[in-house]
mmCIF file of all heavy atoms in Angstrom:
data_model
loop_
_atom_site.group_PDB
_atom_site.id
_atom_site.type_symbol
_atom_site.label_atom_id
_atom_site.label_comp_id
_atom_site.label_asym_id
_atom_site.label_seq_id
_atom_site.Cartn_x
_atom_site.Cartn_y
_atom_site.Cartn_z
ATOM 1 N N LEU F 1 4.188 -8.493 -5.142
ATOM 2 C CA LEU F 1 4.520 -9.854 -5.505
ATOM 3 C C LEU F 1 4.310 -10.791 -4.304
ATOM 4 O O LEU F 1 3.727 -11.859 -4.448
ATOM 5 C CB LEU F 1 5.950 -9.919 -6.024
ATOM 6 C CG LEU F 1 6.406 -11.281 -6.569
ATOM 7 C CD1 LEU F 1 5.539 -11.613 -7.763
ATOM 8 C CD2 LEU F 1 7.866 -11.172 -6.983
ATOM 9 N N TRP F 2 4.778 -10.355 -3.145
ATOM 10 C CA TRP F 2 4.595 -11.181 -1.942
ATOM 11 C C TRP F 2 3.096 -11.294 -1.575
ATOM 12 O O TRP F 2 2.624 -12.395 -1.260
ATOM 13 C CB TRP F 2 5.415 -10.592 -0.785
ATOM 14 C CG TRP F 2 5.193 -11.393 0.474
ATOM 15 C CD1 TRP F 2 4.333 -11.123 1.522
ATOM 16 C CD2 TRP F 2 5.868 -12.628 0.875
ATOM 17 N NE1 TRP F 2 4.354 -12.027 2.484
ATOM 18 C CE2 TRP F 2 5.315 -12.981 2.147
ATOM 19 C CE3 TRP F 2 6.773 -13.382 0.289
ATOM 20 C CZ2 TRP F 2 5.727 -14.119 2.773
ATOM 21 C CZ3 TRP F 2 7.267 -14.544 0.909
ATOM 22 C CH2 TRP F 2 6.700 -14.887 2.141
ATOM 23 N N ILE F 3 2.348 -10.170 -1.633
ATOM 24 C CA ILE F 3 0.986 -10.240 -1.285
ATOM 25 C C ILE F 3 0.187 -11.099 -2.279
ATOM 26 O O ILE F 3 -0.713 -11.852 -1.840
ATOM 27 C CB ILE F 3 0.409 -8.795 -1.217
ATOM 28 C CG1 ILE F 3 1.056 -8.015 -0.067
ATOM 29 C CG2 ILE F 3 -1.097 -8.796 -1.068
ATOM 30 C CD1 ILE F 3 0.772 -6.539 -0.056
ATOM 31 N N ALA F 4 0.511 -10.988 -3.518
ATOM 32 C CA ALA F 4 -0.204 -11.794 -4.512
ATOM 33 C C ALA F 4 -0.016 -13.303 -4.287
ATOM 34 O O ALA F 4 -0.893 -14.086 -4.542
ATOM 35 C CB ALA F 4 0.308 -11.414 -5.915
ATOM 36 N N LEU F 5 1.168 -13.679 -3.843
ATOM 37 C CA LEU F 5 1.442 -15.033 -3.539
ATOM 38 C C LEU F 5 0.860 -15.549 -2.212
ATOM 39 O O LEU F 5 0.530 -16.704 -2.094
ATOM 40 C CB LEU F 5 3.008 -15.270 -3.555
ATOM 41 C CG LEU F 5 3.696 -15.158 -4.894
ATOM 42 C CD1 LEU F 5 5.230 -15.115 -4.668
ATOM 43 C CD2 LEU F 5 3.352 -16.299 -5.814
ATOM 44 N N SER F 6 0.770 -14.651 -1.254
ATOM 45 C CA SER F 6 0.355 -15.081 0.091
ATOM 46 C C SER F 6 -1.067 -14.846 0.486
ATOM 47 O O SER F 6 -1.529 -15.327 1.499
ATOM 48 C CB SER F 6 1.284 -14.437 1.147
ATOM 49 O OG SER F 6 1.174 -12.985 1.082
ATOM 50 N N THR F 7 -1.777 -14.037 -0.300
ATOM 51 C CA THR F 7 -3.095 -13.608 0.038
ATOM 52 C C THR F 7 -4.135 -14.773 0.147
ATOM 53 O O THR F 7 -4.025 -15.713 -0.586
ATOM 54 C CB THR F 7 -3.609 -12.509 -0.948
ATOM 55 O OG1 THR F 7 -4.942 -12.069 -0.532
ATOM 56 C CG2 THR F 7 -3.735 -13.086 -2.340
ATOM 57 N N SER F 8 -5.117 -14.495 0.978
ATOM 58 C CA SER F 8 -6.259 -15.477 0.998
ATOM 59 C C SER F 8 -7.371 -15.088 0.136
ATOM 60 O O SER F 8 -8.447 -15.758 0.108
ATOM 61 C CB SER F 8 -6.739 -15.567 2.508
ATOM 62 O OG SER F 8 -7.224 -14.330 2.971
ATOM 63 N N LEU F 9 -7.220 -13.948 -0.539
ATOM 64 C CA LEU F 9 -8.301 -13.471 -1.413
ATOM 65 C C LEU F 9 -7.717 -13.197 -2.874
ATOM 66 O O LEU F 9 -7.763 -12.004 -3.352
ATOM 67 C CB LEU F 9 -8.857 -12.147 -0.876
ATOM 68 C CG LEU F 9 -9.567 -12.247 0.466
ATOM 69 C CD1 LEU F 9 -9.800 -10.860 1.075
ATOM 70 C CD2 LEU F 9 -10.931 -12.927 0.301
ATOM 71 N N PRO F 10 -7.233 -14.234 -3.516
ATOM 72 C CA PRO F 10 -6.606 -13.948 -4.899
ATOM 73 C C PRO F 10 -7.705 -13.676 -5.855
ATOM 74 O O PRO F 10 -8.808 -14.195 -5.722
ATOM 75 C CB PRO F 10 -5.885 -15.265 -5.128
ATOM 76 C CG PRO F 10 -6.652 -16.297 -4.345
ATOM 77 C CD PRO F 10 -7.081 -15.581 -3.084
ATOM 78 N N PRO F 11 -7.434 -12.832 -6.855
ATOM 79 C CA PRO F 11 -6.168 -12.097 -7.045
ATOM 80 C C PRO F 11 -6.278 -10.752 -6.386
ATOM 81 O O PRO F 11 -7.319 -10.159 -6.282
ATOM 82 C CB PRO F 11 -6.098 -11.993 -8.585
ATOM 83 C CG PRO F 11 -7.530 -11.857 -9.013
ATOM 84 C CD PRO F 11 -8.306 -12.740 -8.051
ATOM 85 N N LEU F 12 -5.126 -10.253 -5.947
ATOM 86 C CA LEU F 12 -4.995 -8.881 -5.393
ATOM 87 C C LEU F 12 -4.022 -8.074 -6.193
ATOM 88 O O LEU F 12 -2.951 -8.579 -6.511
ATOM 89 C CB LEU F 12 -4.662 -8.925 -3.941
ATOM 90 C CG LEU F 12 -5.707 -9.381 -2.960
ATOM 91 C CD1 LEU F 12 -5.196 -9.246 -1.488
ATOM 92 C CD2 LEU F 12 -7.012 -8.709 -3.091
ATOM 93 N N ALA F 13 -4.344 -6.857 -6.428
ATOM 94 C CA ALA F 13 -3.404 -5.810 -6.935
ATOM 95 C C ALA F 13 -3.088 -4.819 -5.834
ATOM 96 O O ALA F 13 -3.977 -4.494 -5.067
ATOM 97 C CB ALA F 13 -3.992 -5.151 -8.144
ATOM 98 N N THR F 14 -1.861 -4.485 -5.728
ATOM 99 C CA THR F 14 -1.426 -3.627 -4.613
ATOM 100 C C THR F 14 -0.724 -2.394 -5.207
ATOM 101 O O THR F 14 -0.096 -2.409 -6.252
ATOM 102 C CB THR F 14 -0.487 -4.341 -3.665
ATOM 103 O OG1 THR F 14 0.611 -4.851 -4.392
ATOM 104 C CG2 THR F 14 -1.175 -5.464 -3.009
ATOM 105 N N GLY F 15 -0.804 -1.298 -4.439
ATOM 106 C CA GLY F 15 -0.135 -0.053 -4.786
ATOM 107 C C GLY F 15 -0.281 0.941 -3.615
ATOM 108 O O GLY F 15 -0.998 0.617 -2.623
ATOM 109 N N ILE F 16 0.344 2.062 -3.768
ATOM 110 C CA ILE F 16 0.213 3.088 -2.754
ATOM 111 C C ILE F 16 -1.283 3.602 -2.763
ATOM 112 O O ILE F 16 -1.819 3.807 -3.821
ATOM 113 C CB ILE F 16 1.161 4.255 -3.035
ATOM 114 C CG1 ILE F 16 1.217 5.260 -1.864
ATOM 115 C CG2 ILE F 16 0.893 4.959 -4.334
ATOM 116 C CD1 ILE F 16 1.980 4.757 -0.700
ATOM 117 N N ASP F 17 -1.885 3.738 -1.587
ATOM 118 C CA ASP F 17 -3.283 4.214 -1.513
ATOM 119 C C ASP F 17 -3.373 5.668 -1.087
ATOM 120 O O ASP F 17 -2.442 6.207 -0.471
ATOM 121 C CB ASP F 17 -4.118 3.318 -0.648
ATOM 122 C CG ASP F 17 -3.613 3.349 0.774
ATOM 123 O OD1 ASP F 17 -2.443 3.647 1.010
ATOM 124 O OD2 ASP F 17 -4.407 2.989 1.683
ATOM 125 N N SER F 18 -4.494 6.287 -1.461
ATOM 126 C CA SER F 18 -4.609 7.749 -1.255
ATOM 127 C C SER F 18 -4.586 8.141 0.209
ATOM 128 O O SER F 18 -4.036 9.195 0.546
ATOM 129 C CB SER F 18 -5.890 8.204 -1.920
ATOM 130 O OG SER F 18 -7.023 7.465 -1.511
ATOM 131 N N PRO F 19 -5.223 7.392 1.180
ATOM 132 C CA PRO F 19 -5.063 7.841 2.577
ATOM 133 C C PRO F 19 -3.653 7.882 3.050
ATOM 134 O O PRO F 19 -3.217 8.848 3.754
ATOM 135 C CB PRO F 19 -5.893 6.775 3.344
ATOM 136 C CG PRO F 19 -6.837 6.240 2.391
ATOM 137 C CD PRO F 19 -6.061 6.212 1.018
ATOM 138 N N THR F 20 -2.806 6.910 2.647
ATOM 139 C CA THR F 20 -1.376 6.896 3.076
ATOM 140 C C THR F 20 -0.672 8.000 2.422
ATOM 141 O O THR F 20 0.178 8.646 3.015
ATOM 142 C CB THR F 20 -0.769 5.512 2.681
ATOM 143 O OG1 THR F 20 -1.547 4.464 3.358
ATOM 144 C CG2 THR F 20 0.647 5.421 3.201
ATOM 145 N N VAL F 21 -0.963 8.215 1.176
ATOM 146 C CA VAL F 21 -0.295 9.333 0.423
ATOM 147 C C VAL F 21 -0.522 10.665 1.059
ATOM 148 O O VAL F 21 0.362 11.535 1.180
ATOM 149 C CB VAL F 21 -0.750 9.326 -1.052
ATOM 150 C CG1 VAL F 21 -0.301 10.647 -1.711
ATOM 151 C CG2 VAL F 21 -0.194 8.184 -1.811
ATOM 152 N N ALA F 22 -1.816 10.878 1.569
ATOM 153 C CA ALA F 22 -2.164 12.126 2.200
ATOM 154 C C ALA F 22 -1.259 12.367 3.417
ATOM 155 O O ALA F 22 -0.735 13.523 3.597
ATOM 156 C CB ALA F 22 -3.575 12.101 2.609
ATOM 157 N N VAL F 23 -1.012 11.393 4.228
ATOM 158 C CA VAL F 23 -0.198 11.561 5.449
ATOM 159 C C VAL F 23 1.289 11.730 4.962
ATOM 160 O O VAL F 23 2.080 12.523 5.496
ATOM 161 C CB VAL F 23 -0.306 10.397 6.409
ATOM 162 C CG1 VAL F 23 0.468 10.607 7.598
ATOM 163 C CG2 VAL F 23 -1.755 10.223 6.725
ATOM 164 N N LEU F 24 1.726 10.922 3.989
ATOM 165 C CA LEU F 24 3.164 11.046 3.518
ATOM 166 C C LEU F 24 3.415 12.445 2.927
ATOM 167 O O LEU F 24 4.503 12.969 3.023
ATOM 168 C CB LEU F 24 3.386 9.962 2.453
ATOM 169 C CG LEU F 24 3.539 8.514 2.997
ATOM 170 C CD1 LEU F 24 3.764 7.586 1.873
ATOM 171 C CD2 LEU F 24 4.578 8.382 4.045
ATOM 172 N N ALA F 25 2.352 13.034 2.261
ATOM 173 C CA ALA F 25 2.535 14.361 1.736
ATOM 174 C C ALA F 25 2.728 15.343 2.860
ATOM 175 O O ALA F 25 3.490 16.371 2.765
ATOM 176 C CB ALA F 25 1.306 14.753 0.891
ATOM 177 N N LEU F 26 2.015 15.206 4.001
ATOM 178 C CA LEU F 26 2.302 16.073 5.105
ATOM 179 C C LEU F 26 3.667 15.903 5.707
ATOM 180 O O LEU F 26 4.346 16.862 6.066
ATOM 181 C CB LEU F 26 1.254 15.756 6.202
ATOM 182 C CG LEU F 26 -0.302 16.097 5.884
ATOM 183 C CD1 LEU F 26 -1.146 15.632 7.019
ATOM 184 C CD2 LEU F 26 -0.382 17.580 5.634
ATOM 185 N N LEU F 27 4.110 14.642 5.775
ATOM 186 C CA LEU F 27 5.467 14.385 6.227
ATOM 187 C C LEU F 27 6.484 15.022 5.288
ATOM 188 O O LEU F 27 7.498 15.640 5.767
ATOM 189 C CB LEU F 27 5.701 12.871 6.206
ATOM 190 C CG LEU F 27 5.432 12.091 7.537
ATOM 191 C CD1 LEU F 27 5.520 10.582 7.237
ATOM 192 C CD2 LEU F 27 6.308 12.504 8.637
ATOM 193 N N SER F 28 6.292 14.979 3.975
ATOM 194 C CA SER F 28 7.161 15.519 3.026
ATOM 195 C C SER F 28 7.282 17.072 3.252
ATOM 196 O O SER F 28 8.367 17.649 3.245
ATOM 197 C CB SER F 28 6.745 15.180 1.619
ATOM 198 O OG SER F 28 7.561 15.830 0.657
ATOM 199 N N ALA F 29 6.109 17.704 3.379
ATOM 200 C CA ALA F 29 6.074 19.149 3.513
ATOM 201 C C ALA F 29 6.779 19.620 4.836
ATOM 202 O O ALA F 29 7.559 20.519 4.812
ATOM 203 C CB ALA F 29 4.599 19.646 3.532
ATOM 204 N N SER F 30 6.542 18.870 5.917
ATOM 205 C CA SER F 30 7.115 19.263 7.199
ATOM 206 C C SER F 30 8.645 19.006 7.225
ATOM 207 O O SER F 30 9.466 19.932 7.574
ATOM 208 C CB SER F 30 6.515 18.379 8.334
ATOM 209 O OG SER F 30 5.086 18.644 8.370
ATOM 210 N N ALA F 31 9.084 17.832 6.783
ATOM 211 C CA ALA F 31 10.497 17.504 6.819
ATOM 212 C C ALA F 31 11.272 18.338 5.766
ATOM 213 O O ALA F 31 12.339 18.784 6.030
ATOM 214 C CB ALA F 31 10.694 16.007 6.525
#
């Protein structure tokens, strides 16, 4: 919601992306 209101490239849709998920999955497994 904040990104959609503040972006310089409207419209933008946002969500969790696969590169970040890959690292978070490693964090989850380790912790």
Side-chain angles (χ1 to χ4, degrees):
L1 187 60
W2 177 264
I3 292 170
L5 290 170
S6 63
T7 182
S8 62
L9 295 166
L12 287 186
T14 55
I16 189 77
D17 62 337
S18 54
T20 305
V21 168
V23 184
L24 290 179
L26 294 176
L27 271 172
S28 175
S30 300

